[in-house]
Amino acid sequence: MSNTEIEIVVDDPTAPEADSPDVASIRVVDVAVSLLLLALAATLGFDNWRTGIAWDSTGPQAGYFPFYLSVILAGASLYGLVAAFLSRKEAAESFVTRAQLRRVLLVFVPTLLFCLATQFLGLYVASFCLIAGFMRLVGRIALWKSLLTAFVFTAIMFVTFDIAFDVIMPKGPLEAALGR
Amino acid sequence: MEAFGLLMHGFAVLLTWKTLALMMVGLVLGIFVGVLPGLGGPNGVAILLPLTFTMDPTSAIVMLSCIYWGALFGGAITSILFNIPGEAWSVATTFDGYPMAQQGRAAEALTAAFTSSFIGSLVAVLLITFLAPMISSFALKFGPPEFFSVYLLTFCSFVGLGREAKHKTVISMSLGLLLAGIGMDTVSGQLRMTFGTSELLRGVNFLVAVIGLFGISEILLTMEERLALRGHAAGISLRVVLRVWMDLPKYWVTLLRSSFIGCWLGITPGGAIAASFMGYNLAKRFSRDPESFGKGRIEGVFAPETAAHASGTAALLPMLALGIPGSGTAAILLGGLMVWGLNPGPLLFVEHKDFVWGLIASMYLGNVVGLVLVLTTVPVFASILRVPFAAVAPMIVVSCAIGAYAIQNAMFDIWMMLGFGVVGYVFKKIGISLAPFTLALVLGNRAEDAFRLSMIGAGGDLKVFWSNGLVGSITTLAIVLLFWPVIDKAFGSVGRLMRPAKAPG
């Protein structure tokens, strides 16, 4: 037995409460997903039918294979729709509670903003903002630690990709001002 | 013996300072992603793949496969010390591993896990060494109908043998196949499913989808749950390691049985999850004291870890020999091979001997180095879990975005990655497995090409898939596997009817 055993405890101050109300059941989401897949199958099926699902001198036309896949997808989605309506278990199971959804949005919204910022500010500036902002606002970590971590990580990424591996990332006005 | 000679050649290719350094980097990165909650083998390989784009294929695949070995080793650390299975296949390890840690035997449990991982992988690598060249030389005789029937067999076995609801596997697979078809048709050059969008002309890149489906969705899922970790820190002493190793011969039946189960389920698409549970259940069933399982028995760590790692490694066999990945991670590695212009399958063994045997040699060396590395650095990696998730999550998001962008230098791919992240999150929560989707996305174009070439050759007659004994057997087996649940049920009912009724009283 090792004598270096100590307990590690990392508490999460923003953990979701256990009694939070449900936002949606698995059944509701399953039905919605089945309907969306059905619509997707219809759209892709129609597009492939237009491309051509018959045979010509070169064999099956370009839409042949994907058209029948659309039919299979539509069939499985329809089955899923009926199964979701009939399932009692799915109706009782929670897809996400309000507290869980809040936490998911806490990471999804900044990621969405990061993608948007990458388009206009470049990847490195957007990365710095995302890491520093997320650590400070969501993790409630000290400002200096957040800024330092963001700076060090972004710098490592820049050196690794842009300099060492020559993988050029999207740049924005700051990099342009610095001549990159 | 020919395989042995080629393997030695592989070691010669591998034993350069540069490749060995990359191997170490890969292993450390792998253990890192294995330990971090919300990441694992496939996610780590997908996110770190762009790092290897500028390398030569041998160095790149060595680094990627070492990330994979490292992640497999790292997963055991969280399972045993924190009762958090980093991957589904680590669940069975927690049954006895965590109780051992609670009893102050964490070091023993970790040594058992790492050693059995090593043994499982070693058995599978031996299998790959001697079987892959035979399978690939056999597969050289394959034509388009044979290849399509093998693809069909893979798809059908996923549907028939998978544990998920069948219609959900069909949805996942057909969606993957459809997305693989977006863009320019490889045969006629016609545009399909692009709806006039220039961004879709390139099609849906498999890696962009995988980074979103695995990387981003895992962040969303991990964030959703409580992340208060309570576990044990452990340092492993040489005395404990030697004691566990001295006890190994006592468990040779368990190790051998689990290795066999793992190899079998790795080659067929049963997967590491099924292998680990089967390994554990059989060890318990054949034990003289099954009641002691779940209470901190070392055999309960040996069995699932050996099976899971044998399975994870054996999944590379069909990928190398036939170009058909046996697992999600193997599918990502296969995508990587395609990025470097290599065509996985039987010809790989003929055209790129250095690459194939360098990779196989790296499997041996990576496992040995990985074992030593994890045994000596457990406290360092276990302490990674002290880093708050609020610092780790945005770094993973940035790594994912860099990975998605680097593949085709397209901003649209970053948006697509985000979209796939949401899809992955929803699919995982409603029980639509992502493994068939990944597999279909990788194999879609190849399967379609094989189908169309077969049909052109046969003038549109579907009988081409039964035109000779080989293709006919594979196609029939595919159909049997597709309807396996129905067949199994029917046999069960017949068996019950045939059994003589018990005499009353």
Side-chain angles (χ1 to χ4, degrees), chain A residues 1-12 14-16 26 29-30 33-34 37 40-41 43-44 47-48 50-52 55 57-67 69-70 72-73 76-77 79-81 83 90 94-97 99-101 103-104 106-108 111-112 114-116 118-119 123-124 126-128 130-131 134-135 138-141 149 153 157 160-161 164-170, chain B residues 50-55 82 101 103-107 148 167-168 170-171 174-175 177-178 182 185 187-188 190-195 216 219-220 222-237 239-240 243 382-383 385-391 393-399 401-402 405-406 409 411 414-415 417-418 422 425-427 429-430 432 444 447-448 451-452 455-456 459-461:
Chain A
M1 183 174 63
S2 165
N3 53 11
T4 55
E5 305 235 346
I6 48 158
E7 202 175 39
I8 296 177
V9 180
V10 182
D11 280 318
D12 177 7
T14 58
I26 294 271
V29 180
D30 219 349
V33 169
S34 296
L37 287 171
L40 181 73
T43 314
L44 296 181
D47 191 65
N48 284 306
R50 249 186 359 185
T51 308
W55 279 68
S57 54
T58 59
Q61 286 179 328
Y64 181 90
F65 197 73
F67 174 79
L69 284 171
S70 309
I72 294 172
L73 178 63
S77 306
Y79 182 91
L81 197 62
E90 285 201 349
S94 163
F95 177 77
V96 68
T97 65
Q100 286 175 331
L101 182 65
R103 280 171 67 92
V104 171
L106 270 179
V107 68
F108 179 73
T111 306
L112 188 78
F114 160 73
C115 294
L116 208 62
T118 302
Q119 207 150 359
L123 188 121
Y124 295 113
S127 302
F128 177 84
L130 174 74
I131 297 167
F134 198 88
M135 284 177 71
V138 179
R140 294 167 205 168
I141 295 167
T149 311
F153 183 79
M157 288 291 127
T160 309
F161 286 96
F165 288 95
D166 219 12
V167 183
I168 309 300
M169 291 294 144
Chain B
L51 260 183
T52 63
F53 281 171
T54 50
M55 297 177 188
F82 294 87
Q103 293 159 15
R105 294 160 62 206
F148 180 75
H167 70 279
K168 289 188 173 171
V170 173
I171 285 175
S174 49
L175 196 61
L177 287 167
L178 271 167
I182 291 178
D185 171 29
V187 177
S188 65
Q190 238 179 310
L191 292 178
R192 305 188 297 191
M193 299 177 274
T194 56
F195 304 100
I216 299 292
I219 292 291
L220 298 176
T222 310
M223 190 71 186
E224 187 189 282
E225 294 306 322
R226 191 185 171 89
L227 277 169
L229 306 173
R230 199 168 279 270
H232 303 267
I236 298 179
S237 67
R239 199 164 50 89
V240 176
R243 202 178 64 219
S383 66
L385 289 165
R386 291 172 199 260
V387 180
F389 190 66
M395 290 185 203
I396 296 173
V397 168
V398 171
S399 308
I402 289 176
Y405 182 84
N409 285 348
M411 188 60 215
I414 294 184
W415 289 109
M417 169 203 80
L418 188 64
V422 177
Y425 169 76
V426 175
F427 274 19
K429 292 210 78 174
I430 61 171
I432 298 182
E448 186 184 354
F451 175 77
R452 285 168 80 175
M455 295 300 270
I456 291 167
D461 190 352

Side-chain angles (χ1 to χ4, degrees), chain B residues 7-334:
Chain B
L7 183 64
M8 288 300 114
H9 173 67
F11 276 112
V13 171
L14 194 68
L15 289 172
T16 64
W17 286 111
K18 189 187 148 205
T19 321
L20 289 175
L22 285 172
M23 187 178 272
M24 289 299 286
V25 173
L27 281 165
V28 172
L29 286 173
I31 300 170
F32 191 76
V33 294
V35 169
L36 281 176
L39 277 183
N43 310 337
V45 175
I47 293 169
L48 297 168
L49 189 70
L51 260 183
T52 63
F53 281 171
T54 50
M55 297 177 188
D56 64 280
T58 312
S59 307
I61 199 76
V62 165
M63 186 167 154
L64 285 177
S65 62
C66 283
I67 292 172
Y68 183 40
W69 311 133
L72 287 174
F73 279 122
I77 298 176
T78 48
S79 298
I80 291 167
L81 297 182
F82 294 87
N83 204 21
I84 302 169
E87 293 282 349
W89 66 66
S90 301
V91 173
T93 310
T94 62
F95 296 164
D96 282 272
Y98 188 62
M100 280 178 82
Q102 282 178 313
Q103 293 159 15
R105 294 160 62 206
E108 201 183 328
L110 285 167
T111 309
F114 297 147
T115 311
S116 49
S117 307
F118 172 76
I119 293 170
S121 295
L122 188 69
V123 173
V125 179
L126 281 168
L127 188 84
I128 291 174
T129 309
F130 295 102
L131 222 58
M134 280 158 64
I135 296 175
S136 65
S137 59
F138 174 64
L140 279 174
K141 294 172 191 141
F142 279 24
E146 284 79 7
F147 270 112
F148 180 75
S149 63
V150 172
Y151 293 131
L152 190 70
L153 178 69
T154 312
F155 296 142
C156 290
S157 54
F158 254 101
V159 178
L161 303 179
R163 290 183 306 154
E164 293 83 13
K166 304 299 169 211
H167 70 279
K168 289 188 173 171
T169 310
V170 173
I171 285 175
S172 179
M173 203 167 274
S174 49
L175 196 61
L177 287 167
L178 271 167
L179 293 187
I182 291 178
M184 194 179 283
D185 171 29
T186 48
V187 177
S188 65
Q190 238 179 310
L191 292 178
R192 305 188 297 191
M193 299 177 274
T194 56
F195 304 100
T197 321
S198 59
E199 297 285 3
L200 285 175
L201 286 178
R202 289 189 302 265
V204 175
N205 188 285
F206 148 77
L207 287 169
V208 174
V210 165
I211 291 172
L213 287 171
F214 289 89
I216 299 292
S217 75
E218 278 297 329
I219 292 291
L220 298 176
L221 278 168
T222 310
M223 190 71 186
E224 187 189 282
E225 294 306 322
R226 191 185 171 89
L227 277 169
L229 306 173
R230 199 168 279 270
H232 303 267
I236 298 179
S237 67
L238 186 64
R239 199 164 50 89
V240 176
V241 175
L242 291 176
R243 202 178 64 219
V244 173
W245 285 1
M246 295 280 268
D247 280 349
L248 273 178
K250 275 196 230 166
Y251 304 104
W252 72 273
V253 179
T254 305
L255 294 169
L256 201 66
R257 184 177 48 226
S258 288
S259 300
F260 176 76
I261 293 166
C263 288
W264 176 253
L265 290 175
I267 296 168
T268 59
I273 304 165
S276 64
F277 279 99
M278 200 186 275
Y280 184 85
N281 288 337
L282 287 180
K284 190 176 173 183
R285 195 167 161 187
F286 289 110
S287 170
R288 284 182 193 160
D289 182 18
E291 298 300 314
S292 63
F293 274 78
K295 293 173 188 163
R297 199 179 156 123
I298 199 164
E299 224 177 325
V301 176
F302 277 135
E305 282 288 316
T306 311
H309 289 243
S311 170
T313 312
L316 300 179
L317 172 63
M319 180 199 94
L320 283 173
L322 297 170
I324 296 167
S327 70
T329 315
I332 297 166
L333 287 175
L334 188 132

